């Protein structure tokens, strides 16, 4: 494992990946927050499947972060500490966002249940 050496080729590769991602059109769940062309009806999205897809994505980020950290601890030279930390932070942010969405859903549920009929 290399230590104390700044590999400029990896930095340049990361910058080019970020630029490519910035120029790529945004991809998301159809019918949610995206512009719908004129004349076309909005695609129907099942809430349960959208929620499951989001939870699967968060789970995948957590598994990837755990895999990177295990590989780093075991001494795999192909895994840098920066990769481990970035994936760990991505997983943490995704989980925190999921918890916030859950809290909002629970709050909305309580508001609906307390409404007078």
């Amino acid at each position: 494992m290399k230590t104390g050496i700044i590999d400029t080729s990896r930095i340049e590769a990361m910058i080019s990946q970020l630029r490519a991602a910035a120029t790529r059109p945004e991809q998301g769940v159809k019918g949610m927050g995206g512009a719908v062309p004129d004349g076309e009806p909005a695609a129907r999205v099942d809430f349960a499947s959208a929620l499951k897809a989001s939870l699967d994505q968060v789970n995948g980020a957590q598994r990837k972060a755990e895999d990177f950290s295990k590989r780093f601890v075991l001494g795999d030279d192909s895994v840098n500490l920066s990769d481990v930390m970035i994936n760990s932070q991505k997983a943490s942010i995704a989980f925190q966002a999921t918890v916030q969405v859950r809290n909002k859903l629970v709050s909305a549920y309580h508001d609906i249940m307390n409404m007078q009929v």
Side-chain angles (χ1 to χ4, degrees), residues 19-64:
R19 286 185 181 144
T23 59
R24 203 174 10 205
E26 194 171 326
Q27 296 177 348
V29 179
K30 289 184 179 181
M32 293 185 69
V36 178
D38 292 334
E40 292 184 26
R44 296 195 68 158
V45 177
D46 183 26
F47 178 76
S49 63
L51 183 63
K52 180 164 177 19
S54 296
L55 291 175
D56 288 342
Q57 193 174 19
V58 171
N59 187 32
Q62 289 178 332
R63 286 179 187 250
K64 183 177 179 183

Side-chain angles (χ1 to χ4, degrees), residues 68-89:
F68 268 67
S69 64
K70 280 183 183 177
R71 288 173 44 199
F72 182 76
V73 168
L74 293 175
D76 188 352
D77 289 336
S78 66
V79 179
N80 294 332
L81 179 59
S82 60
D83 295 335
V84 173
M85 296 305 295
I86 289 170
N87 283 312
S88 176
Q89 286 299 313

Side-chain angles (χ1 to χ4, degrees), residues 4-25:
I5 299 173
I6 297 176
D7 188 7
T8 57
S9 64
R10 289 192 42 93
I11 294 172
E12 290 171 3
M14 186 178 294
I15 290 172
S16 66
Q17 287 177 352
L18 289 172
R19 286 185 181 144
T23 59
R24 203 174 10 205

